[in-house]
Protein backbone atom coordinates (compact mmCIF):
# COMPACT_ATOMS: atom_id res chain seq x y z
CA UNK A 1 0.00 0.00 0.00
CA UNK A 2 1.28 3.51 -0.79
CA UNK A 3 2.28 5.79 2.05
CA UNK A 4 0.33 8.70 0.59
CA UNK A 5 -3.39 9.02 -0.09
CA UNK A 6 -4.43 8.08 -3.60
CA UNK A 7 -7.97 8.46 -4.88
CA UNK A 8 -8.56 6.73 -8.21
CA UNK A 9 -12.36 6.57 -8.45
CA UNK A 10 -15.33 8.74 -7.69
CA UNK A 11 -16.27 8.19 -4.04
CA UNK A 12 -17.83 5.84 -3.35
CA UNK A 13 -16.31 3.71 -6.10
CA UNK A 14 -18.42 1.02 -7.79
CA UNK A 15 -17.58 -1.81 -5.39
CA UNK A 16 -18.11 0.40 -2.35
CA UNK A 17 -21.42 1.66 -3.71
CA UNK A 18 -22.66 -1.90 -4.19
CA UNK A 19 -21.81 -2.86 -0.58
CA UNK A 20 -23.40 0.30 0.78
CA UNK A 21 -26.59 -0.46 -1.16
CA UNK A 22 -26.75 -3.94 0.43
CA UNK A 23 -26.02 -2.49 3.88
CA UNK A 24 -28.91 -0.02 3.47
CA UNK A 25 -31.36 -2.93 3.31
CA UNK A 26 -30.20 -5.12 6.20
CA UNK A 27 -28.07 -3.17 8.70
CA UNK A 28 -29.47 -1.01 11.50
CA UNK A 29 -30.00 2.53 10.22
CA UNK A 30 -29.00 3.91 13.65
CA UNK A 31 -25.32 4.00 12.69
CA UNK A 32 -23.88 7.42 11.86
CA UNK A 33 -21.85 7.01 8.69
CA UNK A 34 -20.67 10.49 7.71
CA UNK A 35 -19.08 9.40 4.42
CA UNK A 36 -18.97 6.24 2.31
CA UNK A 37 -15.75 4.47 3.26
CA UNK A 38 -15.86 0.71 2.68
CA UNK A 39 -12.63 -0.73 4.03
CA UNK A 40 -10.67 -3.52 2.41
CA UNK A 41 -7.43 -3.51 4.40
CA UNK A 42 -5.20 -1.37 6.58
CA UNK A 43 -1.51 -0.98 7.29
CA UNK A 44 -0.20 1.33 10.02
CA UNK A 45 -2.00 4.64 9.52
CA UNK A 46 -3.05 3.89 5.94
CA UNK A 47 -6.34 2.38 4.80
CA UNK A 48 -7.37 0.99 1.43
CA UNK A 49 -10.98 0.78 0.34
CA UNK A 50 -12.58 -1.95 -1.77
CA UNK A 51 -11.96 0.07 -4.97
CA UNK A 52 -8.24 0.48 -4.29
CA UNK A 53 -8.40 4.07 -3.03
CA UNK A 54 -5.88 4.79 -0.29
CA UNK A 55 -6.55 7.07 2.68
CA UNK A 56 -4.53 8.49 5.57
CA UNK A 57 -6.43 7.46 8.69
CA UNK A 58 -6.91 10.12 11.36
CA UNK A 59 -10.00 8.40 12.76
CA UNK A 60 -8.62 4.96 13.74
CA UNK A 61 -12.05 3.33 13.94
CA UNK A 62 -13.14 5.92 16.54
CA UNK A 63 -9.81 6.13 18.37
CA UNK A 64 -9.33 2.37 18.60
CA UNK A 65 -6.47 1.20 16.37
CA UNK A 66 -3.81 2.42 18.78
CA UNK A 67 -0.94 0.40 17.33
CA UNK A 68 -1.99 1.02 13.72
CA UNK A 69 -3.91 -1.29 11.45
CA UNK A 70 -2.90 -4.92 11.76
CA UNK A 71 0.39 -4.37 13.59
CA UNK A 72 2.40 -7.55 12.89
CA UNK A 73 3.13 -8.22 16.59
CA UNK A 74 -0.55 -7.91 17.45
CA UNK A 75 -1.61 -10.10 14.53
CA UNK A 76 0.96 -12.72 15.59
CA UNK A 77 -0.28 -12.74 19.19
CA UNK A 78 -3.89 -13.04 17.99
CA UNK A 79 -3.03 -15.84 15.59
CA UNK A 80 -1.05 -17.82 18.14
CA UNK A 81 -3.78 -17.49 20.76
CA UNK A 82 -6.50 -18.34 18.20
CA UNK A 83 -4.64 -21.52 17.31
CA UNK A 84 -4.49 -22.54 20.97
CA UNK A 85 -8.12 -21.75 21.93
CA UNK A 86 -10.66 -19.01 21.19
CA UNK A 87 -12.79 -19.01 24.29
CA UNK A 88 -13.18 -20.62 27.68
CA UNK A 89 -14.99 -17.86 29.64
CA UNK A 90 -12.79 -16.25 32.25
CA UNK A 91 -15.94 -16.02 34.34
CA UNK A 92 -15.98 -19.76 35.08
CA UNK A 93 -12.45 -20.88 34.21
CA UNK A 94 -8.90 -19.59 34.27
CA UNK A 95 -6.45 -18.78 31.48
CA UNK A 96 -3.11 -17.03 31.66
CA UNK A 97 -3.61 -14.18 29.13
CA UNK A 98 -6.35 -12.66 31.33
CA UNK A 99 -4.19 -12.87 34.46
CA UNK A 100 -1.17 -11.43 32.62
CA UNK A 101 -3.26 -8.53 31.32
CA UNK A 102 -4.66 -7.80 34.79
CA UNK A 103 -1.10 -7.82 36.18
CA UNK A 104 0.08 -5.46 33.46
CA UNK A 105 -2.86 -3.15 34.02
CA UNK A 106 -2.22 -3.14 37.78
CA UNK A 107 1.31 -1.95 37.08
CA UNK A 108 0.30 0.97 34.84
CA UNK A 109 -3.04 2.31 36.08
CA UNK A 110 -2.62 5.46 38.17
CA UNK A 111 -4.79 4.11 40.97
CA UNK A 112 -3.32 4.12 44.49
CA UNK A 113 -2.61 0.74 46.10
CA UNK A 114 -3.49 -2.64 44.68
CA UNK A 115 -5.57 -2.77 41.50
CA UNK A 116 -8.04 -5.40 40.29
CA UNK A 117 -9.64 -5.58 36.84
CA UNK A 118 -13.08 -6.68 35.69
CA UNK A 119 -13.25 -7.61 32.00
CA UNK A 120 -16.09 -6.93 29.57
CA UNK A 121 -16.27 -6.38 25.83
CA UNK A 122 -16.81 -2.68 25.29
CA UNK A 123 -16.60 0.79 26.77
CA UNK A 124 -20.23 0.83 27.79
CA UNK A 125 -19.78 -2.44 29.70
CA UNK A 126 -16.75 -1.01 31.47
CA UNK A 127 -18.94 1.89 32.59
CA UNK A 128 -21.76 -0.45 33.65
CA UNK A 129 -19.26 -2.30 35.82
CA UNK A 130 -18.07 0.98 37.35
CA UNK A 131 -21.65 2.06 38.09
CA UNK A 132 -22.54 -1.27 39.69
CA UNK A 133 -19.31 -1.55 41.66
CA UNK A 134 -19.52 1.99 42.99
CA UNK A 135 -23.09 1.40 44.15
CA UNK A 136 -22.14 -1.94 45.66
CA UNK A 137 -19.02 -0.66 47.41
CA UNK A 138 -20.56 2.50 48.88
CA UNK A 139 -24.12 1.35 49.48
CA UNK A 140 -25.18 4.62 47.84
CA UNK A 141 -27.43 5.03 44.77
CA UNK A 142 -26.62 8.26 43.00
CA UNK A 143 -24.10 9.22 40.35
CA UNK A 144 -22.84 12.58 39.13
CA UNK A 145 -21.74 12.96 35.53
CA UNK A 146 -21.17 15.90 33.18
CA UNK A 147 -23.00 17.67 30.40
CA UNK A 148 -21.35 16.90 27.09
CA UNK A 149 -20.07 13.58 28.46
CA UNK A 150 -20.35 10.30 26.59
CA UNK A 151 -20.21 7.04 28.49
CA UNK A 152 -21.94 4.54 26.23
CA UNK A 153 -25.38 3.45 25.14
CA UNK A 154 -26.55 0.57 27.36
CA UNK A 155 -29.21 1.85 29.72
CA UNK A 156 -27.02 2.42 32.79
CA UNK A 157 -24.27 4.14 30.85
CA UNK A 158 -26.81 6.03 28.75
CA UNK A 159 -28.17 7.67 31.86
CA UNK A 160 -24.71 9.20 32.35
CA UNK A 161 -24.28 10.11 28.68
CA UNK A 162 -25.28 13.72 28.02
CA UNK A 163 -23.63 14.38 24.70
CA UNK A 164 -26.37 14.57 22.07
CA UNK A 165 -30.11 14.44 22.78
CA UNK A 166 -30.68 12.01 19.88
CA UNK A 167 -28.68 9.41 21.82
CA UNK A 168 -31.33 9.48 24.60
CA UNK A 169 -34.44 10.41 22.63
CA UNK A 170 -37.14 7.74 22.73
CA UNK A 171 -35.29 5.53 25.23
CA UNK A 172 -36.61 6.86 28.54
CA UNK A 173 -37.14 6.64 31.35
CA UNK A 174 -33.45 6.78 32.17
CA UNK A 175 -31.91 5.04 35.19
CA UNK A 176 -32.79 7.28 38.15
CA UNK A 177 -30.29 8.96 40.46
CA UNK A 178 -28.03 10.56 37.85
CA UNK A 179 -27.22 14.27 38.06
CA UNK A 180 -25.32 16.28 35.49
CA UNK A 181 -22.99 19.21 36.14
CA UNK A 182 -21.34 21.57 33.64
CA UNK A 183 -17.98 20.44 32.22
CA UNK A 184 -15.01 22.81 32.17
CA UNK A 185 -15.08 23.72 28.49
CA UNK A 186 -12.79 26.75 28.56
CA UNK A 187 -13.61 27.78 24.98
CA UNK A 188 -17.24 28.09 26.03
CA UNK A 189 -16.84 28.61 29.78
CA UNK A 190 -20.12 27.67 31.48
CA UNK A 191 -19.62 30.45 34.05
CA UNK A 192 -18.37 33.10 31.62
CA UNK A 193 -14.72 33.28 32.69
CA UNK A 194 -11.54 33.08 30.63
CA UNK A 195 -9.15 30.20 31.02
CA UNK A 196 -6.35 32.39 32.44
CA UNK A 197 -8.68 33.22 35.36
CA UNK A 198 -10.01 29.72 35.80
CA UNK A 199 -10.12 28.11 39.22
CA UNK A 200 -12.69 25.56 38.04
CA UNK A 201 -15.53 27.76 39.31
CA UNK A 202 -17.98 25.72 37.22
CA UNK A 203 -17.61 23.03 39.86
CA UNK A 204 -19.33 25.24 42.41
CA UNK A 205 -22.52 24.07 40.68
CA UNK A 206 -22.09 20.67 42.27
CA UNK A 207 -21.91 22.03 45.80
CA UNK A 208 -24.13 25.09 45.43
CA UNK A 209 -26.88 23.53 43.33
CA UNK A 210 -26.79 19.73 43.16
CA UNK A 211 -25.83 19.08 46.80
CA UNK A 212 -28.03 21.91 48.06
CA UNK A 213 -31.20 21.25 46.07
CA UNK A 214 -31.15 17.75 44.66
CA UNK A 215 -29.13 15.13 46.48
CA UNK A 216 -27.18 14.90 49.68
CA UNK A 217 -23.49 14.16 49.00
CA UNK A 218 -23.57 11.24 51.43
CA UNK A 219 -25.98 9.53 49.02
CA UNK A 220 -23.70 9.90 46.00
CA UNK A 221 -21.79 6.75 45.09
CA UNK A 222 -19.58 8.03 42.28
CA UNK A 223 -18.64 10.92 40.13
CA UNK A 224 -17.84 9.79 36.59
CA UNK A 225 -15.74 12.08 34.42
CA UNK A 226 -13.82 11.95 31.16
CA UNK A 227 -10.40 13.55 31.83
CA UNK A 228 -10.71 14.83 28.24
CA UNK A 229 -14.21 14.85 26.79
CA UNK A 230 -14.27 12.72 23.64
CA UNK A 231 -17.57 12.54 21.76
CA UNK A 232 -18.48 15.90 23.33
CA UNK A 233 -15.88 17.66 21.18
CA UNK A 234 -12.38 16.74 22.38
CA UNK A 235 -12.59 19.25 25.20
CA UNK A 236 -9.52 19.54 27.45
CA UNK A 237 -10.43 20.89 30.89
CA UNK A 238 -7.87 22.73 33.01
CA UNK A 239 -5.96 20.44 35.38
CA UNK A 240 -7.48 22.14 38.41
CA UNK A 241 -10.92 20.92 37.31
CA UNK A 242 -9.93 17.28 37.79
CA UNK A 243 -7.86 18.15 40.89
CA UNK A 244 -10.82 19.90 42.54
CA UNK A 245 -13.05 16.97 41.64
CA UNK A 246 -10.68 14.71 43.52
CA UNK A 247 -10.81 16.98 46.60
CA UNK A 248 -14.59 17.19 46.44
CA UNK A 249 -15.09 13.45 46.08
CA UNK A 250 -12.61 12.70 48.91
CA UNK A 251 -14.36 15.15 51.17
CA UNK A 252 -17.71 13.39 50.73
CA UNK A 253 -16.60 9.75 50.42
CA UNK A 254 -17.63 9.67 46.76
CA UNK A 255 -15.71 7.43 44.38
CA UNK A 256 -13.97 9.17 41.47
CA UNK A 257 -14.33 7.21 38.23
CA UNK A 258 -12.20 8.29 35.27
CA UNK A 259 -13.77 7.28 31.97
CA UNK A 260 -10.61 6.78 29.91
CA UNK A 261 -12.35 4.75 27.22
CA UNK A 262 -11.35 7.29 24.59
CA UNK A 263 -8.58 9.28 26.29
CA UNK A 264 -6.67 6.27 27.62
CA UNK A 265 -4.07 3.90 26.22
CA UNK A 266 -1.55 6.52 25.18
CA UNK A 267 -3.87 8.68 23.12
CA UNK A 268 -3.21 11.83 25.16
CA UNK A 269 0.58 11.40 25.17
CA UNK A 270 0.47 9.68 28.56
CA UNK A 271 -0.87 6.20 29.15
CA UNK A 272 -3.94 7.73 30.84
CA UNK A 273 -5.05 11.33 30.35
CA UNK A 274 -5.67 11.78 34.07
CA UNK A 275 -1.91 11.43 34.61
CA UNK A 276 -1.51 14.95 33.18
CA UNK A 277 -3.28 16.23 36.32
CA UNK A 278 -1.50 14.12 38.96
CA UNK A 279 -4.87 12.85 40.22
CA UNK A 280 -5.39 9.24 41.24
CA UNK A 281 -8.96 8.09 40.65
CA UNK A 282 -10.59 5.15 42.42
CA UNK A 283 -11.65 3.42 39.21
CA UNK A 284 -10.81 3.69 35.53
CA UNK A 285 -12.98 2.58 32.62
CA UNK A 286 -10.87 1.38 29.70
CA UNK A 287 -11.76 0.08 26.22
CA UNK A 288 -11.17 1.28 22.63
CA UNK A 289 -7.36 1.38 22.18
CA UNK A 290 -6.49 -1.33 24.70
CA UNK A 291 -6.56 -4.29 22.29
CA UNK A 292 -5.70 -2.54 19.00
CA UNK A 293 -9.17 -3.24 17.61
CA UNK A 294 -10.33 -6.42 19.28
CA UNK A 295 -13.32 -5.98 21.59
CA UNK A 296 -12.31 -5.52 25.23
CA UNK A 297 -13.52 -3.34 28.06
CA UNK A 298 -12.03 -3.08 31.54
CA UNK A 299 -13.15 -1.63 34.83
CA UNK A 300 -9.95 -1.26 36.83
CA UNK A 301 -10.47 -0.40 40.48
CA UNK A 302 -8.72 -0.07 43.81
CA UNK A 303 -8.43 -3.61 45.10
CA UNK A 304 -10.14 -2.74 48.39
CA UNK A 305 -13.13 -1.41 46.44
CA UNK A 306 -13.39 -4.33 44.03
CA UNK A 307 -14.43 -6.69 46.77
CA UNK A 308 -17.69 -8.07 45.47
CA UNK A 309 -18.48 -11.77 45.93
CA UNK A 310 -18.56 -14.53 43.27
CA UNK A 311 -21.71 -14.17 41.18
CA UNK A 312 -22.11 -10.43 41.74
CA UNK A 313 -20.97 -9.48 38.24
CA UNK A 314 -19.60 -11.34 35.22
CA UNK A 315 -19.70 -11.64 31.42
CA UNK A 316 -19.51 -14.77 29.27
CA UNK A 317 -17.25 -13.21 26.64
CA UNK A 318 -15.56 -10.59 28.82
CA UNK A 319 -11.78 -10.85 28.79
CA UNK A 320 -11.81 -13.14 25.77
CA UNK A 321 -8.36 -14.80 25.53
CA UNK A 322 -7.71 -13.53 21.99
CA UNK A 323 -8.57 -9.96 23.02
CA UNK A 324 -6.38 -10.31 26.13
CA UNK A 325 -3.46 -11.59 24.03
CA UNK A 326 -3.86 -8.60 21.71
CA UNK A 327 -4.03 -6.25 24.70
CA UNK A 328 -0.86 -7.61 26.33
CA UNK A 329 1.10 -6.90 23.14
CA UNK A 330 -0.65 -3.55 22.65
CA UNK A 331 0.43 -2.48 26.14
CA UNK A 332 4.01 -3.50 25.42
CA UNK A 333 4.08 -1.52 22.16
CA UNK A 334 2.53 1.49 23.84
CA UNK A 335 5.09 1.42 26.65
CA UNK A 336 8.06 0.82 24.36
CA UNK A 337 7.42 3.70 21.96
CA UNK A 338 3.89 4.66 21.06
CA UNK A 339 2.88 6.73 24.10
CA UNK A 340 5.99 8.82 23.53
CA UNK A 341 5.26 9.01 19.81
CA UNK A 342 1.74 10.18 20.59
CA UNK A 343 3.12 13.04 22.71
CA UNK A 344 5.75 13.99 20.14
CA UNK A 345 3.74 13.75 16.91
CA UNK A 346 0.66 15.10 18.68
CA UNK A 347 2.50 18.24 19.79
CA UNK A 348 3.83 18.68 16.27
CA UNK A 349 0.36 18.26 14.79
CA UNK A 350 -1.31 20.67 17.22
CA UNK A 351 1.30 23.31 16.25
CA UNK A 352 0.59 22.66 12.54
CA UNK A 353 -3.16 22.95 13.07
CA UNK A 354 -2.81 26.11 15.18
CA UNK A 355 -0.74 27.67 12.38
CA UNK A 356 -3.76 27.21 10.07
CA UNK A 357 -5.76 29.60 12.25
CA UNK A 358 -4.04 32.58 10.55
CA UNK A 359 -5.47 31.47 7.19
CA UNK A 360 -8.82 30.04 8.15
CA UNK A 361 -11.36 32.12 10.05
CA UNK A 362 -13.52 28.99 10.31
CA UNK A 363 -11.19 27.60 12.97
CA UNK A 364 -12.29 28.87 16.37
CA UNK A 365 -10.16 26.65 18.57
CA UNK A 366 -7.46 23.99 18.34
CA UNK A 367 -7.00 21.94 21.50
CA UNK A 368 -5.78 18.58 22.56
CA UNK A 369 -3.13 16.47 24.18
CA UNK A 370 -0.99 13.97 22.30
CA UNK A 371 -2.90 12.54 19.36
CA UNK A 372 -6.28 13.46 20.83
CA UNK A 373 -6.83 16.71 18.99
CA UNK A 374 -10.01 18.71 18.47
CA UNK A 375 -10.56 21.57 16.04
CA UNK A 376 -13.73 23.56 16.67
CA UNK A 377 -15.23 25.34 13.67
CA UNK A 378 -17.20 28.57 14.08
CA UNK A 379 -18.93 31.00 11.72
CA UNK A 380 -17.62 33.98 13.65
CA UNK A 381 -14.73 33.93 16.09
CA UNK A 382 -16.31 36.66 18.22
CA UNK A 383 -19.79 35.14 18.61
CA UNK A 384 -18.48 31.56 18.36
CA UNK A 385 -21.56 30.60 16.35
CA UNK A 386 -21.23 26.88 15.74
CA UNK A 387 -20.35 25.95 12.16
CA UNK A 388 -22.00 22.52 12.17
CA UNK A 389 -22.81 22.27 8.45
CA UNK A 390 -19.37 23.57 7.56
CA UNK A 391 -17.85 20.96 9.89
CA UNK A 392 -19.61 18.17 8.01
CA UNK A 393 -18.56 19.71 4.70
CA UNK A 394 -14.90 19.87 5.79
CA UNK A 395 -14.94 16.23 6.93
CA UNK A 396 -16.38 15.25 3.54
CA UNK A 397 -13.93 17.42 1.60
CA UNK A 398 -11.06 15.79 3.52
CA UNK A 399 -12.44 12.35 2.69
CA UNK A 400 -12.60 13.15 -1.02
CA UNK A 401 -8.90 14.11 -0.77
CA UNK A 402 -7.94 10.93 1.03
CA UNK A 403 -7.98 11.94 4.70
CA UNK A 404 -10.23 10.14 7.19
CA UNK A 405 -11.56 12.37 9.96
CA UNK A 406 -14.53 12.23 12.32
CA UNK A 407 -16.70 14.91 13.83
CA UNK A 408 -17.09 15.31 17.59
CA UNK A 409 -19.72 17.35 19.38
CA UNK A 410 -21.85 19.71 17.31
CA UNK A 411 -19.13 21.48 15.38
CA UNK A 412 -15.70 20.06 16.20
CA UNK A 413 -13.48 17.76 14.17
CA UNK A 414 -11.39 15.18 15.94
CA UNK A 415 -7.97 13.97 14.92
CA UNK A 416 -7.53 10.57 16.56
CA UNK A 417 -5.07 8.70 14.33
CA UNK A 418 -3.30 5.46 15.16
CA UNK A 419 -0.45 6.25 17.56
CA UNK A 420 2.08 5.04 14.97
CA UNK A 421 1.49 8.24 12.97
CA UNK A 422 4.76 9.85 11.87
CA UNK A 423 5.55 13.57 11.76
CA UNK A 424 5.48 13.37 7.95
CA UNK A 425 2.02 11.83 8.02
CA UNK A 426 0.89 14.48 10.50
CA UNK A 427 2.12 17.18 8.08
CA UNK A 428 0.25 15.44 5.27
CA UNK A 429 -2.94 15.41 7.32
CA UNK A 430 -2.57 19.11 8.12
CA UNK A 431 -1.97 19.90 4.44
CA UNK A 432 -5.09 18.03 3.30
CA UNK A 433 -7.12 19.60 6.11
CA UNK A 434 -5.91 23.01 4.94
CA UNK A 435 -7.17 22.27 1.40
CA UNK A 436 -10.49 20.97 2.70
CA UNK A 437 -11.02 24.12 4.76
CA UNK A 438 -10.12 26.25 1.74
CA UNK A 439 -12.69 24.45 -0.40
CA UNK A 440 -15.46 24.89 2.16
CA UNK A 441 -14.60 28.53 2.85
CA UNK A 442 -14.62 29.25 -0.89
CA UNK A 443 -17.97 27.62 -1.42
CA UNK A 444 -19.41 29.52 1.57
CA UNK A 445 -18.04 32.72 0.09
CA UNK A 446 -19.63 32.07 -3.30
CA UNK A 447 -22.98 31.15 -1.68
CA UNK A 448 -22.88 34.46 0.26
CA UNK A 449 -21.99 36.39 -2.91
CA UNK A 450 -24.83 34.90 -4.96
CA UNK A 451 -27.42 35.69 -2.29
C1 LIG B 1 -15.47 8.16 26.86
C2 LIG B 1 -16.29 7.02 26.35
N1 LIG B 1 -16.88 6.19 27.22
C3 LIG B 1 -17.60 5.13 26.81
C4 LIG B 1 -17.77 4.88 25.47
C5 LIG B 1 -18.57 3.68 25.02
O1 LIG B 1 -17.74 2.75 24.43
P1 LIG B 1 -18.32 1.59 23.49
O2 LIG B 1 -18.80 2.24 22.23
O3 LIG B 1 -17.16 0.66 23.29
O4 LIG B 1 -19.43 0.94 24.24
C6 LIG B 1 -17.17 5.72 24.53
C7 LIG B 1 -17.36 5.49 23.08
O5 LIG B 1 -17.14 6.30 22.26
C8 LIG B 1 -16.42 6.83 24.97
O6 LIG B 1 -15.83 7.66 24.12
Amino acid sequence: MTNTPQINTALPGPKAAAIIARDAVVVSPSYTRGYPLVMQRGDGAMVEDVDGNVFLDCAAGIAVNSTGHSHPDVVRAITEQAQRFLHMSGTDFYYEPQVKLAEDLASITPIAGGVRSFFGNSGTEAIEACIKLSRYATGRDNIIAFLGGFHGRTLGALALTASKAIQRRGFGPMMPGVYHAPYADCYRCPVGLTSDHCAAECLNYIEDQIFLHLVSPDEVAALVVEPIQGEGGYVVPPDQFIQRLRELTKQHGILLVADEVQSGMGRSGKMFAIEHTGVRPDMIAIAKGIASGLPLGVAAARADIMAWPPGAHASTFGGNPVSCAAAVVTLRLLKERLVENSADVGGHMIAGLRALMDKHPLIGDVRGRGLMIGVELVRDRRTKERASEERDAVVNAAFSRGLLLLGAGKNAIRFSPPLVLTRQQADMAVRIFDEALMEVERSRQSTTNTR
Side-chain angles (χ1 to χ4, degrees):
M1 202 182 306
T2 65
N3 201 24
T4 50
Q6 228 169 53
I7 306 301
N8 308 311
T9 70
L11 293 174
K15 289 183 183 162
I19 292 168
I20 290 167
R22 286 165 53 201
D23 176 291
V25 181
V26 291
V27 175
S28 168
S30 60
Y31 301 150
T32 49
R33 280 77 168 257
Y35 48 80
L37 177 84
V38 181
M39 181 151 173
Q40 175 78 347
R41 65 193 177 111
D43 181 9
M46 305 307 291
V47 160
E48 189 180 302
D49 79 357
V50 285
D51 294 290
N53 298 301
V54 177
F55 300 84
L56 174 59
D57 186 4
C58 281
I62 329 184
V64 168
N65 300 102
S66 46
T67 57
H69 291 282
S70 298
H71 190 291
D73 292 6
V74 177
V75 172
R76 194 174 313 113
I78 290 171
T79 310
E80 286 172 7
Q81 178 55 46
Q83 282 165 345
R84 281 194 291 272
F85 65 99
L86 293 173
H87 172 80
M88 197 53 196
S89 194
T91 284
D92 283 24
F93 304 95
Y94 301 92
Y95 40 84
E96 206 259 349
Q98 183 168 282
V99 181
K100 167 76 176 138
L101 179 57
E103 286 168 350
D104 289 356
L105 285 169
S107 74
I108 59 160
T109 43
I111 292 174
V115 176
R116 284 182 181 270
S117 286
F118 171 88
F119 294 102
N121 306 283
S122 62
T124 200
E125 284 175 76
I127 291 293
E128 294 291 337
C130 290
I131 294 172
K132 287 179 72 175
L133 181 58
S134 53
R135 281 181 163 185
Y136 187 89
T138 60
R140 303 173 180 187
D141 297 347
N142 300 284
I143 311 271
I144 294 175
F146 290 89
L147 294 169
F150 187 91
H151 302 286
R153 294 173 183 270
T154 49
L155 280 170
L158 185 63
L160 273 56
T161 288
S163 180
K164 295 193 181 104
I166 182 77
Q167 293 155 351
R168 299 163 62 102
R169 183 168 178 270
F171 300 122
M174 293 291 140
M175 180 181 81
V178 179
Y179 301 89
H180 288 96
Y183 194 77
D185 176 353
C186 290
Y187 184 62
R188 296 176 185 276
C189 176
V191 288
L193 296 173
T194 52
S195 51
D196 40 336
H197 290 100
C198 172
E201 284 86 348
C202 52
L203 281 182
N204 296 345
Y205 182 87
I206 295 179
E207 287 187 290
D208 298 348
Q209 306 292 335
I210 295 181
F211 290 166
L212 186 69
H213 299 297
L214 295 168
V215 63
S216 171
D218 63 4
E219 289 189 321
V220 176
L223 187 147
V224 182
V225 65
E226 290 166 272
I228 298 176
Q229 257 185 6
E231 303 301 302
Y234 275 32
V235 179
V236 186
D239 292 347
Q240 59 266 34
F241 176 70
I242 303 291
Q243 290 157 353
R244 271 198 62 197
L245 280 178
R246 179 69 283 187
E247 287 163 19
L248 189 73
T249 47
K250 262 205 182 129
Q251 187 189 336
H252 296 292
I254 298 169
L255 299 174
L256 181 63
V257 179
D259 181 345
E260 294 260 13
V261 166
Q262 190 146 179
S263 59
M265 310 329 291
R267 179 140 303 282
S268 76
K270 291 196 184 284
M271 189 62 86
F272 294 97
I274 203 162
E275 291 174 54
H276 291 280
T277 70
V279 165
R280 288 172 174 268
D282 301 302
M283 283 183 219
I284 303 184
I286 304 168
K288 288 197 185 279
I290 187 172
S292 292
L294 262 62
L296 185 64
V298 185
R302 264 174 39 204
D304 60 318
I305 293 171
M306 193 171 275
W308 41 13
H313 196 42
S315 156
T316 299
F317 288 117
N320 170 274
V322 185
S323 296
C324 287
V328 167
V329 176
T330 300
L331 279 184
R332 174 175 63 73
L333 293 168
L334 291 174
K335 281 192 277 190
E336 278 172 6
R337 191 180 76 83
L338 296 183
V339 178
E340 207 182 315
N341 190 63
S342 171
D344 172 53
V345 178
H348 179 72
M349 198 167 187
I350 288 173
L353 289 166
R354 288 216 169 113
L356 293 184
M357 290 185 82
D358 296 339
K359 274 166 83 172
H360 297 293
L362 253 186
I363 303 181
D365 192 29
V366 176
R367 57 200 174 222
R369 272 178 162 154
L371 285 170
M372 184 167 190
I373 305 170
V375 178
E376 182 159 343
L377 301 189
V378 292
R379 293 198 175 133
D380 179 323
R381 280 193 185 159
R382 198 180 43 82
T383 64
K384 300 184 180 176
E385 184 190 350
R386 294 178 192 273
S388 305
E389 285 155 33
E390 293 85 343
R391 185 276 306 274
D392 293 346
V394 170
V395 169
N396 272 291
F399 171 64
S400 65
R401 287 171 165 74
L403 174 65
L404 303 182
L405 295 171
L406 281 174
K410 266 186 102 170
N411 58 313
I413 291 173
R414 73 183 102 178
F415 288 76
S416 58
L419 308 184
V420 293
L421 197 82
T422 64
R423 278 181 168 232
Q424 289 76 7
Q425 287 172 323
D427 291 341
M428 206 181 331
V430 172
R431 209 163 43 241
I432 299 173
F433 186 58
D434 180 14
E435 291 168 15
L437 283 164
M438 212 133 48
E439 180 188 315
V440 172
E441 282 168 348
R442 251 193 238 121
S443 81
R444 263 177 85 220
Q445 197 66 43
S446 63
T447 319
T448 319
N449 292 344
T450 51
R451 268 196 195 131

